[in-house]
Amino acid sequence: MDRTDFYDKVYEIVMQIPAGKVTTYGAIAGCIGVKSGARMVGYALNNLAGQSDGESVPAHRVVNRLGQLTGRAYFEGDVMKERLEQEGVEFKEEYTVHIEKHFWDPAENIGG
DNA sequence: CTAATGACGACAC
DNA sequence: CGTGTCGCCATTA
């Protein structure tokens, strides 16, 4: 599939996310070029559920702009939360990370 | 092509 | 400040 170019971009960025850090869908979408493709980003991550390289993409480090683990439903149990905790990410709520402290800007590592 | 959906985001009330 | 609505782009039916 050549149209997966968008997905590749998402994966390439998400794979660069260091442990203990998190980023947002909008940030990734903007770094790719599709600023308003925030929804598409989540859509691409969801696709990982069936991709063999899915394990290579720490989609659990991607949360919405509020730090909410909206996609935890696509992980096994609380894997998305437990993984972030074991990496050192602080949580404000049961399923909300401290995005303000652990925010990771892809444009500072990919685009620049 | 049209209509509906989605791990989102911003604006209006 | 909280709720409600539209827009965004790609995929699917």
Side-chain angles (χ1 to χ4, degrees), chain A residues 19-92:
Chain A
K21 289 284 185 176
V22 292
T23 190
T24 70
Y25 301 94
I28 296 172
C31 182
I32 294 170
V34 184
K35 301 174 184 171
S36 301
R39 308 191 64 161
M40 240 301 112
V41 177
Y43 199 101
L45 300 180
N46 176 16
N47 189 307
L48 292 169
Q51 291 290 318
S52 301
D53 298 343
E55 59 186 74
S56 300
V57 184
H60 62 267
R61 293 185 194 146
V62 186
V63 296
N64 67 355
R65 99 174 196 81
L66 301 179
Q68 296 173 359
L69 280 58
T70 45
R72 68 185 176 78
Y74 290 74
F75 286 80
E76 292 184 28
D78 295 340
V79 174
M80 191 170 187
K81 174 178 176 294
E82 291 184 13
R83 282 217 178 198
L84 290 171
E85 284 191 313
Q86 68 118 338
E87 289 179 359
V89 177
E90 296 179 50
F91 274 70
K92 292 164 68 86

